[in-house]
Amino acid sequence: MTTVLPSDAESTSAKGTGTITLLSPLTPPSLARSWLTAPHPHLPILATCSSDKTVRIYSLTSFTLLSTISGGHKRSVRSCAWKPGVKGESILVTGSFDASVGVWRKWDSGELNPKPARLEEDGTAERELNLVNGVNGSHSHENNDEDEDEEWRFAVVLDGHESEVKSVAWSSGGNFLATCSRDKSVWIWEEMEDDNFETIAVLQEHEGDVKCVVWHPEEELLASASYDDTIRLYREDLDDWTCISILKGHDSTVWALDFEPVNNPLTKTTEEPTQEQVKWLSTREASGPRLISSSDDQSIRVWRRIPRENSAQGSRQSSMPSIIKTGSIEEDWVQESELPKRHERAVYSVAWSRRTGRVVSTGGDGTIVVYEERWRIPRSSPSLTYSNGDTERMEGIQMETSNDEIATEWFVVAEIDGAHGVFEINHVCWARRADKGKRSDEEEVIVSTGDDGIVRVWTLDLR
C-alpha cells in the first residue's frame, strides 16, 4: 500500500485498484471538534455538528459555509438528521450533549415561489441560498425586510433523556423520530402535527451507552448499537414497541450501523447469473436489506435476516448468535460476513452507498477505506501475482455454491491513511457530487468529519 500525506490528497489501495483524492475541504472550518455531517435528501447542502454548540450548513457546489445555526443547545451538538419526504420546507433535528433534542425548520422559498429558480453559472439554483441563509447565517439577506420565515426557526425542544444524546434518526417515511443516549435508552417520538411530538416508546434494553440508531429503509424497523457490544432491533407490536432481535458477535462497543440500499446494484448484474446466483438473489430478496455494523474491536460485520419460513432451519445451521427473545414478531438475524480488516483502531463510522452498493468506513486511526462486494470466484482459480507480491484471482470465473454458501465476498478497492493528519475521523458518508467538476449526475463523493473541526470532500476513482 502506498501511504501519502493528506496534502498530497491521494492514496492507492493495496491492490492498486482505486484512488481516493481530496476534492476540497469545507471552508471555513469549525475551530472545535466536528462530530458528524449529514447530506440533505435532495439539495446540494450538508449539515455538520460541532462541539462548539452549532450546526454549520455548507454548500456542496462551492464547498463554502452558507449558514451557522446556533442558540438552541448549551453543549456540543453530537448528531443531526434531515427529515425525509418534506416539500417546501427543510426540517433538521439535532441531538446534544445537553440531553435535549432540537427541531429546526426553514421554508424553502425557492420551491414556494412559482417562478423558476434562477440558475447560477455553475448550474445550481438560486434556491440553495434561499434555503440555507438563516439563524446567524454567514450571508445576509439583500432585502432587510424579508419575513422571519426566511430564517431557520428553533421550532421545538424535546426533553426526556437524562444524559448526552448520541444519535438521532428519522424513519424512512418521516413519521417517527428515534433518539438514543448515554442514559442507555432509546426513545421513539411521533410527530402528530407540526411541532407537536408525542413519546410513543422508551426502550431500555441496552446495558450500556447507546451509540447509534438507524431505521430500515422500507419498514418501521429500528436498530440500535451500544457500549454493551450488542445490536438490538425493535418493532411495534399491538401498540407497544418491543425488542425483537439481539445481534451478538462484536467483542467491544458497536459504534455505527447502516442498512443496505433497497436496490443494491449487485443484484443488477449485466451478465447472465448462474443457477446458484439466482438462488442466492432469491434468498436475498426474501431477507430484505442487510445491516452493517462497525465496532471498537476494529471489525465491520454484515448481518442478514433469515426469512421467517426458513428461520428455524437457519438458526440451527448458523453458529452465530442471533435472536433469543420469543414472541410472534421475533426475527432471526445472523452474521453473513465480515469485511477485510484494515483499521488499526476503533471503527467509528460505516456507510453503505445508495447508488453503488459500496461501503466506506473510518475511525480512530484516521484511515478511510472503501469496500466493494463481488460475486465469489473459486479458490482454486488461476491467480495473478503483482510485482509487490500481492495476488489476485482472475475475474470472470463463477463459483458453484450450495444454498448455504455465501455467493459474494468483499474486497478493499481504495484506502487512504492519515486523511485528517494526526486527528481521528468521527464520521464518513456518501453524498451526490454537485460541483462544476462532476462527471455525471450519479457521481458520488465521500465526506469525512474529524476531530480537527474540518470536513473534507473526496472523490473515488476505480481502475
Side-chain angles (χ1 to χ4, degrees):
M1 181 179 66
T2 303
T3 304
V4 295
L5 297 174
S7 58
D8 296 327
E10 189 173 290
S11 178
T12 305
S13 67
K15 294 184 179 181
T17 57
T19 303
I20 299 173
T21 304
L22 180 63
L23 178 59
S24 178
L26 301 183
T27 58
S30 169
L31 298 179
R33 170 184 292 159
S34 293
W35 289 108
L36 175 149
T37 298
H40 193 281
H42 57 268
L43 291 174
I45 59 175
L46 303 161
T48 297
C49 305
S50 176
S51 59
D52 65 3
K53 312 173 192 176
T54 70
V55 176
R56 285 170 166 74
I57 309 297
Y58 289 99
S59 168
L60 267 174
T61 61
S62 63
F63 308 116
T64 57
L65 180 67
L66 296 169
S67 180
T68 301
I69 301 175
S70 62
H73 292 291
K74 299 177 181 178
R75 293 184 61 193
S76 175
V77 181
R78 178 63 178 85
S79 180
C80 67
W82 299 96
K83 184 175 182 179
V86 181
K87 293 184 178 180
E89 185 180 24
S90 281
I91 301 174
L92 183 70
V93 63
T94 53
S96 171
F97 280 2
D98 65 11
S100 72
V101 176
V103 180
W104 303 80
R105 295 176 177 271
K106 189 178 192 309
W107 295 114
D108 180 357
S109 58
E111 287 187 354
L112 294 178
N113 189 338
K115 295 186 296 182
R118 176 174 62 85
L119 296 180
E120 304 296 338
E121 290 183 1
D122 63 359
T124 60
E126 185 183 39
R127 71 190 184 97
E128 180 188 49
L129 282 181
N130 289 338
L131 172 70
V132 297
N133 287 330
V135 178
N136 297 331
S138 60
H139 296 270
S140 61
H141 294 294
E142 293 181 2
N143 183 358
N144 294 329
D145 297 327
E146 290 215 36
D147 189 271
E148 289 184 1
D149 285 344
E150 293 299 312
E151 298 183 350
W152 285 101
R153 312 182 306 281
F154 191 33
V156 64
V157 60
L158 305 178
D159 290 315
H161 283 293
E162 298 177 355
S163 188
E164 302 167 356
V165 175
K166 295 297 184 70
S167 178
V168 296
W170 292 98
S171 62
S172 59
N175 51 325
F176 294 121
L177 172 66
T179 62
C180 67
S181 169
R182 188 178 180 182
D183 63 14
K184 307 178 186 179
S185 71
V186 174
W187 288 50
I188 301 178
W189 315 74
E190 183 175 11
E191 188 174 15
M192 311 306 292
E193 56 187 34
D194 286 355
D195 303 339
N196 181 15
F197 287 79
E198 178 180 332
T199 305
I200 60 173
V202 178
L203 304 164
Q204 297 177 307
E205 298 285 340
H206 283 292
E207 299 175 359
D209 183 352
V210 187
K211 300 294 187 182
C212 177
V213 284
V214 63
W215 290 91
H216 190 283
E218 291 183 309
E219 307 169 16
E220 291 178 352
L221 172 67
L222 177 67
S224 62
S226 172
Y227 182 80
D228 66 12
D229 309 345
T230 71
I231 302 163
R232 297 177 188 247
L233 302 177
Y234 313 87
R235 279 191 186 277
E236 187 176 21
D237 181 29
L238 301 176
D239 297 327
D240 288 324
W241 285 80
T242 184
C243 178
I244 53 91
S245 176
I246 303 174
L247 281 61
K248 298 180 180 179
H250 284 293
D251 299 322
S252 190
T253 301
V254 184
W255 284 101
L257 302 170
D258 199 14
F259 275 102
E260 177 182 24
V262 175
N263 297 311
N264 192 324
L266 181 71
T267 64
K268 301 176 181 179
T269 177
T270 57
E271 299 179 1
E272 187 68 23
T274 66
Q275 183 177 358
E276 289 72 20
Q277 289 173 356
V278 170
K279 291 179 182 178
W280 184 85
L281 289 172
S282 177
T283 300
R284 171 64 56 80
E285 183 177 358
S287 298
R290 295 166 293 173
L291 180 68
I292 196 166
S293 59
S294 65
S295 168
D296 208 72
D297 64 12
Q298 305 168 21
S299 73
I300 301 173
R301 302 168 190 248
V302 177
W303 310 81
R304 66 176 173 87
R305 174 170 48 193
I306 296 180
R308 189 168 297 275
E309 60 274 18
N310 297 326
S311 181
Q313 178 183 1
S315 295
R316 289 194 300 269
Q317 293 173 344
S318 174
S319 61
M320 297 305 303
S322 58
I323 299 173
I324 305 299
K325 204 157 190 170
T326 60
S328 60
I329 63 169
E330 69 176 16
E331 294 182 359
D332 195 357
W333 288 69
V334 296
Q335 182 181 311
E336 179 183 86
S337 58
E338 182 175 343
L339 273 60
K341 280 200 173 183
R342 277 294 199 272
H343 292 285
E344 298 177 354
R345 297 182 65 184
V347 187
Y348 292 143
S349 181
V350 63
W352 217 320
S353 169
R354 271 54 181 162
R355 293 179 176 84
T356 66
R358 297 189 186 101
V359 166
V360 63
S361 66
T362 195
D365 59 4
T367 300
I368 299 174
V369 186
V370 179
Y371 313 81
E372 186 172 87
E373 187 178 23
R374 302 173 186 170
W375 292 115
R376 188 185 294 272
I377 55 179
R379 295 295 177 185
S380 58
S381 65
S383 61
L384 298 175
T385 302
Y386 294 91
S387 58
N388 63 0
D390 290 330
T391 60
E392 183 174 1
R393 293 187 300 280
M394 294 177 63
E395 301 291 344
I397 305 176
Q398 304 297 342
M399 183 183 74
E400 297 298 318
T401 61
S402 69
N403 291 338
D404 301 324
E405 290 181 302
I406 305 302
T408 64
E409 57 186 329
W410 290 88
F411 292 84
V412 172
V413 295
E415 62 184 288
I416 180 170
D417 297 329
H420 282 241
V422 298
F423 293 93
E424 294 188 347
I425 304 177
N426 297 311
H427 186 259
V428 69
C429 64
W430 299 93
R432 187 182 294 234
R433 187 172 180 180
D435 63 284
K436 289 188 287 187
K438 68 178 181 180
R439 291 164 284 195
S440 73
D441 289 337
E442 295 302 312
E443 184 181 359
E444 287 184 305
V445 289
I446 298 168
V447 182
S448 60
T449 307
D451 269 1
D452 54 1
I454 299 175
V455 179
R456 288 190 162 111
V457 182
W458 311 81
T459 59
L460 172 66
D461 294 291
L462 299 180
R463 294 190 292 275

PDB file of all heavy atoms in Angstrom, residues 410-423:
ATOM      1  N   TRP A 410     -16.229  -9.613  -0.043  1.00  0.00           N
ATOM      2  CA  TRP A 410     -15.907  -8.197  -0.029  1.00  0.00           C
ATOM      3  C   TRP A 410     -14.422  -7.962  -0.308  1.00  0.00           C
ATOM      4  O   TRP A 410     -13.579  -8.707   0.177  1.00  0.00           O
ATOM      5  CB  TRP A 410     -16.275  -7.594   1.324  1.00  0.00           C
ATOM      6  CG  TRP A 410     -17.754  -7.514   1.558  1.00  0.00           C
ATOM      7  CD1 TRP A 410     -18.559  -8.483   2.093  1.00  0.00           C
ATOM      8  CD2 TRP A 410     -18.611  -6.414   1.248  1.00  0.00           C
ATOM      9  NE1 TRP A 410     -19.862  -8.046   2.146  1.00  0.00           N
ATOM     10  CE2 TRP A 410     -19.924  -6.774   1.637  1.00  0.00           C
ATOM     11  CE3 TRP A 410     -18.395  -5.151   0.686  1.00  0.00           C
ATOM     12  CZ2 TRP A 410     -21.007  -5.918   1.482  1.00  0.00           C
ATOM     13  CZ3 TRP A 410     -19.477  -4.296   0.536  1.00  0.00           C
ATOM     14  CH2 TRP A 410     -20.770  -4.681   0.927  1.00  0.00           C
ATOM     15  N   PHE A 411     -14.134  -6.906  -1.071  1.00  0.00           N
ATOM     16  CA  PHE A 411     -12.774  -6.523  -1.402  1.00  0.00           C
ATOM     17  C   PHE A 411     -12.544  -5.064  -1.013  1.00  0.00           C
ATOM     18  O   PHE A 411     -13.456  -4.239  -1.112  1.00  0.00           O
ATOM     19  CB  PHE A 411     -12.509  -6.658  -2.909  1.00  0.00           C
ATOM     20  CG  PHE A 411     -12.494  -8.075  -3.413  1.00  0.00           C
ATOM     21  CD1 PHE A 411     -13.668  -8.728  -3.737  1.00  0.00           C
ATOM     22  CD2 PHE A 411     -11.295  -8.758  -3.561  1.00  0.00           C
ATOM     23  CE1 PHE A 411     -13.664 -10.039  -4.201  1.00  0.00           C
ATOM     24  CE2 PHE A 411     -11.270 -10.062  -4.022  1.00  0.00           C
ATOM     25  CZ  PHE A 411     -12.455 -10.706  -4.350  1.00  0.00           C
ATOM     26  N   VAL A 412     -11.340  -4.751  -0.609  1.00  0.00           N
ATOM     27  CA  VAL A 412     -10.941  -3.358  -0.426  1.00  0.00           C
ATOM     28  C   VAL A 412     -10.561  -2.813  -1.794  1.00  0.00           C
ATOM     29  O   VAL A 412      -9.715  -3.381  -2.478  1.00  0.00           O
ATOM     30  CB  VAL A 412      -9.752  -3.236   0.540  1.00  0.00           C
ATOM     31  CG1 VAL A 412      -9.232  -1.801   0.567  1.00  0.00           C
ATOM     32  CG2 VAL A 412     -10.161  -3.678   1.940  1.00  0.00           C
ATOM     33  N   VAL A 413     -11.194  -1.720  -2.208  1.00  0.00           N
ATOM     34  CA  VAL A 413     -10.904  -1.159  -3.529  1.00  0.00           C
ATOM     35  C   VAL A 413     -10.128   0.154  -3.452  1.00  0.00           C
ATOM     36  O   VAL A 413      -9.552   0.594  -4.450  1.00  0.00           O
ATOM     37  CB  VAL A 413     -12.195  -0.960  -4.348  1.00  0.00           C
ATOM     38  CG1 VAL A 413     -12.844  -2.303  -4.652  1.00  0.00           C
ATOM     39  CG2 VAL A 413     -13.176  -0.034  -3.633  1.00  0.00           C
ATOM     40  N   ALA A 414     -10.118   0.795  -2.284  1.00  0.00           N
ATOM     41  CA  ALA A 414      -9.344   2.029  -2.131  1.00  0.00           C
ATOM     42  C   ALA A 414      -9.223   2.364  -0.655  1.00  0.00           C
ATOM     43  O   ALA A 414     -10.109   2.029   0.134  1.00  0.00           O
ATOM     44  CB  ALA A 414     -10.003   3.184  -2.876  1.00  0.00           C
ATOM     45  N   GLU A 415      -8.129   3.008  -0.291  1.00  0.00           N
ATOM     46  CA  GLU A 415      -7.981   3.475   1.084  1.00  0.00           C
ATOM     47  C   GLU A 415      -6.948   4.585   1.147  1.00  0.00           C
ATOM     48  O   GLU A 415      -6.078   4.700   0.279  1.00  0.00           O
ATOM     49  CB  GLU A 415      -7.598   2.334   2.027  1.00  0.00           C
ATOM     50  CG  GLU A 415      -6.272   1.671   1.741  1.00  0.00           C
ATOM     51  CD  GLU A 415      -6.035   0.492   2.685  1.00  0.00           C
ATOM     52  OE1 GLU A 415      -5.785   0.733   3.882  1.00  0.00           O
ATOM     53  OE2 GLU A 415      -6.083  -0.659   2.219  1.00  0.00           O
ATOM     54  N   ILE A 416      -7.069   5.411   2.176  1.00  0.00           N
ATOM     55  CA  ILE A 416      -6.104   6.487   2.391  1.00  0.00           C
ATOM     56  C   ILE A 416      -5.837   6.588   3.886  1.00  0.00           C
ATOM     57  O   ILE A 416      -6.759   6.575   4.700  1.00  0.00           O
ATOM     58  CB  ILE A 416      -6.616   7.826   1.819  1.00  0.00           C
ATOM     59  CG1 ILE A 416      -5.584   8.939   2.068  1.00  0.00           C
ATOM     60  CG2 ILE A 416      -7.970   8.211   2.366  1.00  0.00           C
ATOM     61  CD1 ILE A 416      -5.893  10.232   1.337  1.00  0.00           C
ATOM     62  N   ASP A 417      -4.568   6.660   4.242  1.00  0.00           N
ATOM     63  CA  ASP A 417      -4.159   6.806   5.630  1.00  0.00           C
ATOM     64  C   ASP A 417      -4.016   8.290   5.987  1.00  0.00           C
ATOM     65  O   ASP A 417      -3.717   9.122   5.135  1.00  0.00           O
ATOM     66  CB  ASP A 417      -2.813   6.118   5.873  1.00  0.00           C
ATOM     67  CG  ASP A 417      -2.875   4.620   5.648  1.00  0.00           C
ATOM     68  OD1 ASP A 417      -3.945   4.036   5.893  1.00  0.00           O
ATOM     69  OD2 ASP A 417      -1.857   4.043   5.214  1.00  0.00           O
ATOM     70  N   GLY A 418      -4.208   8.605   7.257  1.00  0.00           N
ATOM     71  CA  GLY A 418      -3.998   9.974   7.729  1.00  0.00           C
ATOM     72  C   GLY A 418      -4.801  11.000   6.967  1.00  0.00           C
ATOM     73  O   GLY A 418      -4.303  12.075   6.634  1.00  0.00           O
ATOM     74  N   ALA A 419      -6.064  10.684   6.700  1.00  0.00           N
ATOM     75  CA  ALA A 419      -6.895  11.579   5.880  1.00  0.00           C
ATOM     76  C   ALA A 419      -7.126  12.936   6.539  1.00  0.00           C
ATOM     77  O   ALA A 419      -7.394  13.923   5.850  1.00  0.00           O
ATOM     78  CB  ALA A 419      -8.234  10.913   5.572  1.00  0.00           C
ATOM     79  N   HIS A 420      -7.027  12.990   7.876  1.00  0.00           N
ATOM     80  CA  HIS A 420      -7.120  14.262   8.591  1.00  0.00           C
ATOM     81  C   HIS A 420      -5.844  14.494   9.408  1.00  0.00           C
ATOM     82  O   HIS A 420      -5.897  14.958  10.540  1.00  0.00           O
ATOM     83  CB  HIS A 420      -8.350  14.274   9.508  1.00  0.00           C
ATOM     84  CG  HIS A 420      -9.638  14.515   8.788  1.00  0.00           C
ATOM     85  ND1 HIS A 420     -10.455  15.597   9.034  1.00  0.00           N
ATOM     86  CD2 HIS A 420     -10.254  13.810   7.803  1.00  0.00           C
ATOM     87  CE1 HIS A 420     -11.526  15.539   8.255  1.00  0.00           C
ATOM     88  NE2 HIS A 420     -11.424  14.458   7.494  1.00  0.00           N
ATOM     89  N   GLY A 421      -4.731  14.117   8.842  1.00  0.00           N
ATOM     90  CA  GLY A 421      -3.466  14.275   9.530  1.00  0.00           C
ATOM     91  C   GLY A 421      -3.383  13.350  10.733  1.00  0.00           C
ATOM     92  O   GLY A 421      -3.653  12.158  10.630  1.00  0.00           O
ATOM     93  N   VAL A 422      -3.043  13.910  11.891  1.00  0.00           N
ATOM     94  CA  VAL A 422      -2.915  13.091  13.105  1.00  0.00           C
ATOM     95  C   VAL A 422      -4.234  12.951  13.845  1.00  0.00           C
ATOM     96  O   VAL A 422      -4.304  12.277  14.871  1.00  0.00           O
ATOM     97  CB  VAL A 422      -1.868  13.714  14.061  1.00  0.00           C
ATOM     98  CG1 VAL A 422      -0.510  13.757  13.395  1.00  0.00           C
ATOM     99  CG2 VAL A 422      -2.296  15.111  14.518  1.00  0.00           C
ATOM    100  N   PHE A 423      -5.291  13.547  13.322  1.00  0.00           N
ATOM    101  CA  PHE A 423      -6.568  13.574  14.037  1.00  0.00           C
ATOM    102  C   PHE A 423      -7.437  12.358  13.708  1.00  0.00           C
ATOM    103  O   PHE A 423      -7.379  11.817  12.607  1.00  0.00           O
ATOM    104  CB  PHE A 423      -7.343  14.855  13.697  1.00  0.00           C
ATOM    105  CG  PHE A 423      -6.689  16.105  14.214  1.00  0.00           C
ATOM    106  CD1 PHE A 423      -5.813  16.819  13.414  1.00  0.00           C
ATOM    107  CD2 PHE A 423      -6.948  16.560  15.498  1.00  0.00           C
ATOM    108  CE1 PHE A 423      -5.208  17.980  13.880  1.00  0.00           C
ATOM    109  CE2 PHE A 423      -6.347  17.709  15.981  1.00  0.00           C
ATOM    110  CZ  PHE A 423      -5.476  18.424  15.174  1.00  0.00           C
TER     111      PHE A 423
END
